[in-house]
């Protein structure tokens, strides 16, 4: 079934009285190699090895006409797709009516209860020791909110149940998510994501691979959740509620550090802690007292947070 040529996409939209909606970030894939590569990458990360036969499932956000869905249905045991546009949903239902392993949920991913979706649609796969991933050609207008929602839907101190989140996003955002401390792209989103996951850039996709073409280049990234905060910083409080408080405190420090990016950390955090406490905590973790937050890794922020806790006690 051809769902991935510009003539076919135009034809399917026209037959259903639809046209691409810019407000919903509708840029449909028209280069058949790209959805194949995205689905392959996502499935590779879901399986422990090629011979691994435990079931694997995937949540697709914004399936549109289904160019990526059809490839995901080949390599995953189950695809649950969430689409906000009712017109596209009708078209999608017709196309995939014969696919037993594909199910559509019509709704806004930002309003979706992710743990409930996981439990309702993938409980059997998880019980059988399988895994669930997320895969999407994301609508650009909600790229970072969707990623943060997926990562924040679960206890931040424990393991997020997704084996990976493989998404196509604007290259500029991909650069920010994968940036290293001390580089201009590094920011609060980078450090916040690093508390929960590693980010890998897979490959770039040019505007000509979409209809209509976006103004910017896209990049397919994989976000691979870590085993929980203890993996980033083993020295977190043992008790669960204390561990959660520690995570919240560290997230607050990251936010404050980047809200005043040009300031030194002692100044940026002065509304939260006395300057002398921040300065001596920084020295304790082997940093200069006048360092800026943009030079600290997620692990450094945890170490700083831990020192500030000790000083409070
Ligand atoms: N997956 C298709 C493809 O690759 O050709 C379409 C991708 S298009 C970039 C983004 C899709 O996300 C559109 O189908 C759009 O209607 C859908 N979408 C936009 N906002 C959404 C939301 N809040 N919840 C669920 N789907 C959304």
């Amino acid at each position: 079934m051809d769902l991935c040529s510009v003539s076919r996409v135009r034809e399917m939209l026209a037959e259903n009285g639809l046209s691409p909606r810019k407000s919903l970030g509708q840029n449909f894939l028209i280069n058949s190699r790209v959805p194949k590569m995205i689905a392959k990458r996502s499935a590779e990360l879901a399986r422990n090895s090629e011979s691994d036969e435990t079931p694997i499932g995937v949540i697709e956000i914004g399936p549109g006409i289904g160019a990526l869905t059809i490839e995901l249905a080949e390599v995953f045991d189950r695809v649950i797709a969430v689409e906000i546009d009712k017109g596209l949903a009708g078209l999608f239902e017709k196309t995939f009516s014969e696919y037993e392993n594909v199910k559509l949920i019509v709704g806004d991913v930002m309003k979706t209860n992710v743990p409930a979706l996981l439990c309702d649609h993938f409980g059997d796969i998880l019980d059988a020791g399988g895994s669930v991933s997320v895969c999407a050609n994301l609508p650009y207008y909600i790229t970072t909110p969707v990623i943060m929602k997926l990562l924040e839907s679960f206890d931040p101190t424990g393991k997020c149940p997704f084996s990976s989140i493989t998404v196509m996003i604007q290259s500029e955002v991909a650069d920010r998510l994968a940036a290293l401390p001390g580089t201009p792209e590094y920011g609060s989103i980078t450090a916040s994501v690093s508390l929960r996951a590693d980010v890998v850039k897979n490959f770039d996709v040019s505007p000509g691979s979409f209809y209509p073409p976006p103004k910017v280049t896209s990049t397919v990234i994989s976000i691979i959740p870590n085993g929980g905060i203890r993996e980033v910083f083993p020295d977190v409080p043992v008790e669960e509620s204390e561990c959660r408080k520690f995570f919240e405190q560290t997230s607050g420090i990251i936010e404050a550090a980047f809200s005043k990016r040009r300031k030194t950390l002692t100044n940026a955090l002065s509304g939260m802690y006395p300057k002398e406490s921040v300065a001596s905590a920084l020295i304790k973790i082997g940093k200069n007292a006048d360092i800026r937050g943009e030079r600290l890794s997620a692990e450094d922020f945890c170490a700083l947070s831990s020192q500030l806790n000790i000083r409070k006690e």
Side-chain angles (χ1 to χ4, degrees):
M1 191 172 6
D2 173 25
L3 298 177
C4 215
S5 68
V6 70
S7 54
R8 188 69 190 122
V9 172
R10 278 179 198 265
E11 191 181 273
M12 288 176 87
L13 291 174
E15 276 170 10
N16 289 272
L18 303 169
S19 53
R21 292 169 68 181
K22 207 174 169 189
S23 63
L24 290 180
Q26 291 178 355
N27 301 96
F28 302 105
L29 276 164
I30 53 162
N31 173 350
S32 59
R33 280 180 42 235
V34 177
K36 273 192 185 28
M37 285 163 70
I38 300 175
K40 183 169 175 260
R41 179 70 181 134
S42 186
E44 265 168 18
L45 290 166
R47 293 209 187 275
N48 293 324
S49 66
E50 271 183 37
S51 58
D52 178 9
E53 292 202 342
T54 46
I56 54 174
V58 65
I59 299 172
E60 186 190 3
I61 298 163
I65 288 166
L68 177 58
T69 321
I70 203 162
E71 300 300 335
L72 292 171
E74 286 289 314
V75 288
F76 282 88
D77 296 291
R78 188 172 306 151
V79 184
I80 303 292
V82 183
E83 173 58 59
I84 197 171
D85 186 323
K86 292 198 177 76
L88 280 176
L91 165 51
F92 182 96
E93 296 276 24
K94 276 189 257 168
T95 311
F96 288 92
S97 60
E98 313 262 287
Y99 280 70
E100 283 180 8
N101 65 338
V102 176
K103 184 174 168 7
L104 183 71
I105 295 175
V106 185
D108 180 348
V109 70
M110 292 309 293
K111 296 189 182 141
T112 302
N113 180 332
V114 182
L117 187 154
L118 209 61
C119 177
D120 294 348
H121 296 278
F122 297 101
D124 56 339
I125 288 187
L126 292 170
D127 286 348
S131 72
V132 180
S133 309
V134 176
C135 193
N137 168 13
L138 278 182
Y140 289 166
Y141 76 105
I142 44 169
T143 307
T144 42
V146 171
I147 291 173
M148 288 318 290
K149 179 183 167 87
L150 292 170
L151 291 173
E152 285 173 352
S153 291
F154 303 93
D155 180 352
T157 64
K159 186 167 170 44
C160 164
F162 296 126
S163 63
S164 73
I165 300 169
T166 296
V167 284
M168 178 144 60
I169 60 177
Q170 304 101 297
S171 299
E172 192 198 324
V173 181
D175 290 344
R176 267 194 268 142
L177 289 173
L180 293 174
T183 61
E185 292 81 17
Y186 188 76
S188 95
I189 183 81
T190 329
S192 300
V193 169
S194 307
L195 280 181
R196 301 163 166 96
D198 294 325
V199 178
V200 182
K201 283 205 259 179
N202 296 313
F203 53 91
D204 290 343
V205 180
S206 64
S209 291
F210 304 86
Y211 167 75
K215 290 201 171 66
V216 294
T217 299
S218 305
T219 300
V220 176
I221 61 162
S222 294
I223 300 170
I224 302 164
N226 60 34
I229 183 71
R230 277 175 219 285
E231 202 172 279
V232 179
F233 188 67
D235 218 10
V236 295
V238 178
E239 215 263 306
E240 217 177 286
S241 67
E242 287 302 310
C243 182
R244 200 162 303 131
K245 262 195 233 158
F246 173 81
F247 190 92
E248 279 160 19
Q249 171 181 305
T250 310
S251 298
I253 290 174
I254 290 174
E255 206 176 298
F258 288 96
S259 68
K260 295 175 184 139
R261 195 183 169 100
R262 304 308 305 159
K263 291 195 174 176
T264 62
L265 262 177
T266 44
N267 282 328
L269 302 184
S270 61
M272 298 166 80
Y273 304 96
K275 285 185 183 179
E276 321 73 75
S277 304
V278 178
S280 52
L282 281 168
I283 289 164
K284 264 267 165 51
I285 67 164
K287 304 287 172 192
N288 286 336
D290 60 356
I291 198 167
R292 292 192 185 127
E294 62 196 14
R295 305 199 79 84
L296 262 57
S297 67
E299 190 186 348
D300 295 333
F301 276 113
C302 287
L304 174 65
S305 179
S306 177
Q307 277 304 322
L308 287 166
N309 253 348
I310 294 167
R311 298 191 66 81
K312 237 177 15 189
E313 279 155 13

